[in-house]
Amino acid sequence: MADTVEHVDVLIVGAGLSGIGAAYRLQEQCPDTTYAILEGRAASGGTWDLFRYPGIRSDSDMYTLGYPFRPWTGKKAIADGADILAYIRDTAEEFGIDRHIRYRHKVVAASWSSEEARWRVDVVVGDDEEPTRLTTSFLFMCSGYYSYDRGHTPAFPGIEDFGGQVVHPQEWPEDLDYAGKRIVVIGSGATAVTLIPNLAKTAAHVTMLQRSPTYIGSLPAVDPLAVATRKLLPPKAAHQVNRWRSVLFNTAFYQFCQRRPALAKKVMKQRVKAELPDDVPVDPHFDPRYDPWDQRVCLVPDGDLFRAMRKGTASVVTDHIDTFTETGIRLASGEELEADIVVTATGLTLVAAGGITFDVDGRPVVPGETFVYKGFMLSGVPNAAMCVGYTNASWTLRSDITARSVARLWDLMQKRGHTMAVAEIDDESMAAQPLLGLTSGYVQRAAGLMPKQGNRAPWLLRQNFILDLATFKLGDLTEAIRFSSPDKRIRRQRAELDRDLDQLVDA
């Protein structure tokens, strides 16, 4: 490890959608701040560079998934992964953010010292994982909440007997030839409904095998109203109009689902029924057991999944797996699905703060025992923030508020001479709730690992962008934050020394 340790004011971990947005807000609001972005992989883009499976795309419109400060000018509102990746990288280049990115720098541990008022951050670099260390006054985690190392695949019985190929979407082989093949995709979430219509273009047949159905909605890939708005208004104005139109529509739809779940379920089932082939019943294949938005609603642009089913190139089976066989999968009903390729679209593996090990003055930080303050700081962890997106809307809506909050907090600390800011809970009786309020399997599996939220502000992570934005602009950002400065620290140390001397004299 190098003898000389480099120091930056703010260290951003992750060069994906969140990290680039965080850097922009830091440059905008705190132009004199030094910062670096550490990216564990060899390229920027995060999710949009990692996943390479056919048809990868957004399940949020680009007017809300895109940055509010840089208009989305692509044709599609529901954009392809390659276009999103190019948008992120172009943004980084346009604002000079790319010059601050250090690739193949994987953060493994971070240790806070109250005496020094800084983080010591341990990093491994390159394939040889050469250890190095940086220090920073503020650590900003923008690495998302799922593992980049592996996805989730259940222990399927008999899978070792299968004579074909098993593929997880997170580890899609570049040379996989699926033309003319029989494919079974296990799962019914966003990845599955994206993959199936794209695989079905050249595969012999694709079967979606699900234990239970998911709510699916269809929207046009190209939004005609957005196109018209862009013809009438300058790019920035059109982007804001389209962004807020999407925010208001999605917020209203979510509230409708929450307040009138039975009616929302009926409406969504009717819309799906109208798009299905006559021989595919809504029940059981598209009749979820839960209410809308208890899990994330899947989006299919232009109804591409249903179109593949109407063509006969894709189908759906709702059943449980008994065992894999040499030629496919035998179901609990006794039916066997023959397959050349099985795709396990069975979810993600969630990790807290990128799986980094933390300690504060030698005390290990257990993320699952912390609470999230205003959606971005962990209780008891000084000078650190974590980016968490919405579960019911696009990631960027929440991540941008987080980035602006961090920049605002850091600017306040600099102006007032504070060297430490830590969110503290003043009521230990506050009830704990899961951070991600979904019943999805990938969320439930990691519920104990993730930080918690409380049952009231400022520890409640609301799934409402409009309220969060109003709170950010009008509310008190620091209502539960304790600040410290060098003068205060020296006075405290002197008081502790005086107390110790008095105790010695008394003894």
Side-chain angles (χ1 to χ4, degrees):
M1 189 175 295
D3 295 332
T4 303
V5 178
E6 180 186 1
H7 179 83
V8 292
D9 293 330
V10 179
L11 188 63
I12 298 170
V13 181
L17 192 65
S18 304
I20 301 304
Y24 174 85
R25 291 303 186 189
L26 199 62
Q27 291 183 173
E28 175 193 49
Q29 297 176 226
C30 313
D32 296 328
T33 293
T34 62
Y35 78 92
I37 304 174
L38 300 188
E39 170 55 54
R41 305 179 70 249
S44 62
T47 296
W48 303 105
D49 180 71
L50 173 68
F51 288 96
R52 304 294 180 91
Y53 60 80
I56 179 171
R57 55 168 172 75
S58 165
D59 64 351
S60 300
D61 66 88
M62 286 305 298
Y63 304 111
T64 55
L65 188 68
Y67 300 115
F69 53 83
R70 186 170 186 268
W72 169 254
T73 58
K75 181 180 179 181
K76 292 182 178 179
I78 310 301
D80 299 328
D83 293 335
I84 300 172
L85 181 60
Y87 171 79
I88 295 171
R89 291 177 175 172
D90 289 347
T91 301
E93 182 179 2
E94 179 177 336
F95 296 105
I97 296 167
D98 55 343
R99 297 194 296 269
H100 295 262
I101 303 173
R102 303 179 189 184
Y103 296 106
R104 303 172 75 190
H105 280 59
K106 183 178 181 180
V107 178
V108 294
S111 179
W112 170 261
S113 168
S114 294
E115 183 178 353
E116 299 176 0
R118 61 179 53 186
W119 287 96
R120 295 188 298 273
V121 182
D122 291 327
V123 181
V124 293
V125 182
D127 293 337
D128 296 334
E129 297 191 340
E130 180 182 350
T132 188
R133 175 176 288 173
L134 290 84
T135 64
T136 185
S137 299
F138 201 102
L139 184 61
F140 192 1
M141 301 298 305
C142 294
S143 49
Y145 49 53
Y146 66 85
S147 171
Y148 276 38
D149 296 331
R150 67 193 185 281
H152 172 72
T153 300
F156 292 115
I159 194 169
E160 66 279 359
D161 299 327
F162 179 55
Q165 191 168 0
V166 179
V167 178
H168 192 285
Q170 192 166 324
E171 301 164 8
W172 196 269
E174 291 185 11
D175 58 350
L176 181 64
D177 180 12
Y178 53 86
K181 302 292 181 65
R182 299 163 301 175
I183 304 174
V184 173
V185 177
I186 303 175
S188 58
T191 302
V193 302
T194 299
L195 265 169
I196 290 166
N198 285 277
L199 296 175
K201 292 176 182 177
T202 56
H205 188 82
V206 185
T207 302
M208 179 168 74
L209 173 58
Q210 58 180 10
R211 289 185 303 175
S212 58
T214 300
Y215 287 103
I216 299 177
S218 177
L219 287 175
V222 178
D223 183 346
L225 287 177
V227 172
T229 302
R230 286 159 61 175
K231 290 180 179 179
L232 294 172
L233 297 174
K236 289 186 177 180
H239 186 67
Q240 289 303 317
V241 169
N242 288 326
R243 181 179 178 84
W244 274 102
R245 183 170 58 84
S246 178
V247 165
L248 293 172
F249 173 81
N250 291 331
T251 301
F253 176 67
Y254 177 76
Q255 291 298 324
F256 167 61
C257 291
Q258 293 291 293
R259 297 171 188 272
R260 299 290 300 277
L263 180 57
K265 183 171 186 174
K266 181 179 179 181
V267 170
M268 295 185 73
K269 285 174 60 178
Q270 287 176 341
R271 293 194 62 179
V272 169
K273 183 178 181 180
E275 298 209 56
L276 287 173
D278 293 338
D279 60 344
V280 178
V282 173
D283 185 10
H285 303 307
F286 296 94
D287 186 16
R289 296 189 295 264
Y290 56 90
D291 288 334
W293 278 114
D294 284 355
Q295 297 182 23
R296 194 173 173 95
V297 174
C298 290
L299 175 65
V300 289
D302 297 325
D304 57 2
L305 173 67
F306 305 122
R307 189 166 63 248
M309 295 176 68
R310 291 195 300 269
K311 288 182 177 179
T313 55
S315 59
V316 58
V317 173
T318 304
D319 206 334
H320 286 71
I321 294 174
D322 177 36
T323 184
F324 274 67
T325 67
E326 184 178 351
T327 58
I329 299 174
R330 187 168 66 241
L331 306 176
S333 63
E335 180 184 0
E336 182 160 346
L337 300 177
E338 294 188 347
D340 303 302
I341 300 172
V342 172
V343 179
T344 54
T346 44
L348 307 170
T349 299
L350 266 60
V351 293
I356 297 171
T357 301
F358 293 89
D359 75 79
V360 173
D361 295 326
R363 174 182 57 83
V365 175
V366 180
E369 296 177 358
T370 65
F371 284 79
V372 174
Y373 170 75
K374 288 189 178 288
F376 75 102
M377 293 185 78
L378 299 182
S379 60
V381 183
N383 291 27
M386 181 178 73
C387 187
V388 178
Y390 290 121
T391 57
N392 68 340
S394 84
W395 178 272
T396 314
L397 289 175
R398 175 69 237 185
S399 72
D400 186 60
I401 290 179
T402 295
R404 294 167 70 182
S405 297
V406 169
R408 180 173 157 190
L409 176 63
W410 175 251
D411 184 56
L412 179 68
M413 292 173 65
Q414 299 311 293
K415 289 178 178 177
R416 295 184 180 179
H418 298 311
T419 57
M420 186 179 82
V422 57
E424 295 182 334
I425 299 174
D426 58 4
D427 183 2
E428 297 297 334
S429 65
M430 182 175 59
Q433 302 179 139
L435 179 65
L436 306 176
L438 296 176
T439 61
S440 308
Y442 72 97
V443 173
Q444 296 302 308
R445 286 191 299 271
L449 304 176
M450 301 296 289
K452 305 291 188 293
Q453 64 171 316
N455 59 347
R456 58 184 177 275
W459 304 97
L460 179 65
L461 183 63
R462 296 176 299 195
Q463 297 295 324
N464 190 311
F465 169 71
I466 297 173
L467 291 179
D468 283 345
L469 184 62
T471 300
F472 166 75
K473 289 188 173 182
L474 304 175
D476 180 5
L477 182 68
T478 65
E479 59 186 292
I481 294 181
R482 175 175 62 85
F483 292 99
S484 180
S485 62
D487 290 341
K488 290 181 179 179
R489 191 164 62 249
I490 291 171
R491 288 198 299 270
R492 185 175 66 251
Q493 290 171 345
R494 287 176 176 172
E496 291 172 352
L497 180 60
D498 291 341
R499 185 181 65 247
D500 292 341
L501 289 173
D502 290 342
Q503 290 174 349
L504 288 173
V505 170
D506 292 341

